[in-house]
Amino acid sequence: MIKDQKKIDEYYEMIIQKNPEYVGIFYVGVKTTGVFCRPIWPSKKPEKENCEFFETAKEALLASYRPCKRCQPLNIPSSLSPEVRKLIAAVEKNPERKWTDRRGLEREIENLRKKFNGALVPGTNNVLKKLKLELNHYFKGSLMEFSVPLAEELGTPYQKKIWKQYLQELL
Ligand SMILES: [Zn+2]
């Protein structure tokens, strides 16, 4: 999400003006509707405090916004990997679904905390940095395989078995 107030002011001005030069430069999520749009769309303009701006449609999706049905901010560049195209197609088919379940995430963190019997604190490390880099490349379509290892001790024996089979099918 864009936090720079100068940019926010600039982008808000651009959605008021419907400046077509900004299409693809940013996306705007409207808190009151939970929908995100390209800079130009025909509906009533929201108040500035209800807008959140994003550099990519992916960021807007991850912030729990649904793609607008009118201006369809999820266009599909051909360079995307098949998995991401599938995901985008699924979101477009079922845009009402919540793709980021914040409560679910909280539960997940709580489960991890119990499992490892330790506090989870916000921060970063080399593995996370690498994962972030690889995810960025993946979503740009320039990376198909991850080199960041998965923790072997996570998951039930059944989940581990399925994961192993899944990896073999991929190879
Ligand atoms: Zn729209």
Side-chain angles (χ1 to χ4, degrees), residues 28 35-43 67-73:
V28 55
V35 167
F36 76 99
C37 281
R38 297 173 191 280
I40 323 169
W41 81 99
S43 61
C68 168
K69 282 179 183 167
R70 278 200 204 169
C71 64
Q72 301 183 339

Side-chain angles (χ1 to χ4, degrees), residues 109-151:
I109 289 172
E110 180 61 20
N111 287 343
L112 280 172
R113 198 184 62 74
K114 279 188 192 144
K115 191 155 202 159
F116 292 106
N117 194 24
L120 290 177
V121 290
T124 190
N125 57 41
N126 285 338
V127 174
L128 286 178
K129 278 181 201 155
K130 192 171 180 195
L131 183 61
K132 192 177 172 188
L133 197 73
E134 290 193 354
L135 279 171
N136 279 334
H137 283 296
Y138 178 77
F139 279 104
K140 279 181 193 152
S142 54
L143 182 81
M144 299 294 283
E145 282 174 27
F146 293 91
S147 67
V148 173
L150 287 170

Side-chain angles (χ1 to χ4, degrees), residues 73-85:
L74 292 177
N75 60 344
I76 308 181
S78 58
S79 63
L80 289 179
S81 66
E83 287 80 8
V84 175
R85 284 156 160 274

